[in-house]
Amino acid sequence: MSRRGAVGVGRRGGWRAVGVPVLVAALLLGACGTPRSGVLGTAPTAPPPSPPPTARPSAASTPPSGPPTGPTPSAAATRTAPRPPAPTSAGTRRPEPVTIELWYVRSGLLVPTRRTRPATVTTSRLALTELAAGPTPAEAATGMVTLLPAGVEVTRIADGVATLGPVPWGDDPAERRRLREAQVVWTLTQFPTVRQVRFPGGAPVGRADYPDLLAPIVVTAPSVGDRVTAPLTVTGTADVFEATVSIRVLDAAGREVATGFGAASCGSGCRGAYRLVVGWRTAREQHGTIEVYEVSARDGSRTHTVAVPVILAPSGS
């Protein structure tokens, strides 16, 4: 080379002097080589953005999928909360009332009637209290009275015998004393736990000890003052000729609006139970009377009549 800063070849080798820029360009092209595809292609697109990472649920919001690894909760921690106490005022169901039978006295004989009172566990005490209180005005109007004074109580009931405490009989005549005892016996023996009654200083007695204190016809239902509807079922006991029991219904004016008859389970010397059904037709509610009687075998008249004042409901009510 004859000149600094240039690269060249003598004429003999066919070289010509070449500038530095040209040489550099040639070297770069030689280093790159021939492209593989002949084209550069489109510019690459940016990859789609990755979805944001999902927040991992916390232990407070998602229960574990496997069995618990921590300590088992105690029974106190898992026990269901106690229910509030049941209502005791307006929401409390009232006990069903109880109907008791009371035996009063009329014309020296026993006569039954009924009372409906709130339920109680001491029904014997309730019965004797009501018996001593006496008949209602409507019952008294039919001649019913009570001979039992207040303060008579049952002290014990065992083996079917109700034992009474001290009784204030005083120096009453034997007939009056016996009626008082019969009132108590017939009233208490309506309960299934009592078959007999023991008075102080005496042996147990039952209904069979007072057969003469019942009228030939006894009406146990309806009671004086009941409101009755047709058809009406009349029940009781009777000791009448050929066991035949008759019945009729009278309206407020005393007119006969219905009649009927039936047979007791025993008669002519023995007492039997009867059940009669009778109907009537009235246009309005009114006072009336149910009469149960025996037809005399001698002259056909009504005898041993028992009259029960009631309220007759209108037909169809």
Side-chain angles (χ1 to χ4, degrees):
M1 289 183 298
S2 60
R3 191 179 302 175
R4 189 175 182 177
V7 177
V9 183
R11 290 182 182 270
R12 287 179 300 181
W15 292 88
R16 292 181 299 178
V18 182
V20 175
V22 176
L23 180 60
V24 172
L27 291 175
L28 291 174
L29 291 174
C32 294
T34 306
R36 294 179 181 177
S37 61
V39 293
L40 295 179
T42 60
T45 60
S50 301
T54 304
R56 298 181 62 184
S58 63
S61 60
T62 304
S65 58
T69 57
T72 303
S74 64
T78 58
R79 189 179 297 118
T80 304
R83 295 181 178 180
T88 57
S89 56
T92 302
R93 182 179 178 182
R94 294 183 178 180
E96 294 294 331
V98 59
T99 299
I100 56 176
E101 193 173 76
L102 306 175
W103 288 81
Y104 290 126
V105 176
R106 181 171 59 202
S107 302
L109 298 173
L110 296 176
V111 181
T113 190
R114 294 178 298 171
R115 295 283 186 277
T116 299
R117 295 291 183 263
T120 176
V121 295
T122 56
T123 51
S124 60
R125 177 180 297 178
L126 172 65
L128 292 183
T129 299
E130 293 289 335
L131 191 62
T136 65
E139 293 166 344
T142 68
M144 292 187 190
V145 297
T146 185
L147 303 181
L148 185 71
V152 178
E153 293 186 353
V154 175
T155 60
R156 182 188 181 196
I157 298 178
D159 300 325
V161 178
T163 301
L164 267 60
V167 291
W169 288 170
D171 296 329
D172 289 342
E175 182 180 355
R176 185 178 180 88
R177 179 191 298 265
R178 191 162 179 266
L179 274 172
R180 281 179 170 174
E181 292 178 353
Q183 279 190 262
V184 174
V185 169
W186 278 79
T187 297
L188 290 183
T189 53
Q190 70 183 289
F191 304 117
T193 56
V194 179
R195 297 188 304 273
Q196 291 179 309
V197 178
R198 185 193 303 272
F199 294 92
V205 290
R207 293 190 173 190
D209 294 286
Y210 307 94
D212 57 316
L213 295 184
L214 292 180
I217 296 177
V218 173
V219 179
T220 56
S223 294
V224 173
D226 283 355
R227 182 181 185 274
V228 297
T229 58
L232 171 67
T233 300
V234 181
T235 60
T237 63
D239 180 359
V240 293
F241 179 70
E242 293 184 346
T244 303
V245 181
S246 299
I247 185 174
R248 68 174 185 160
V249 180
L250 307 178
D251 65 9
R255 293 185 297 262
E256 188 177 276
V257 295
T259 60
F261 68 92
S265 58
C266 188
S268 296
C270 61
R271 181 169 295 274
Y274 66 84
R275 180 185 180 89
L276 306 177
V277 179
V278 63
W280 62 88
R281 301 186 65 85
T282 59
R284 60 181 178 85
E285 185 166 299
Q286 59 189 292
H287 291 280
T289 305
I290 307 297
E291 286 189 353
V292 185
Y293 56 94
E294 175 188 2
V295 176
S296 172
R298 185 181 61 183
D299 56 12
S301 63
R302 290 186 295 273
T303 183
H304 303 139
T305 301
V306 177
V308 182
V310 294
I311 299 175
L312 301 176
S315 302
S317 62

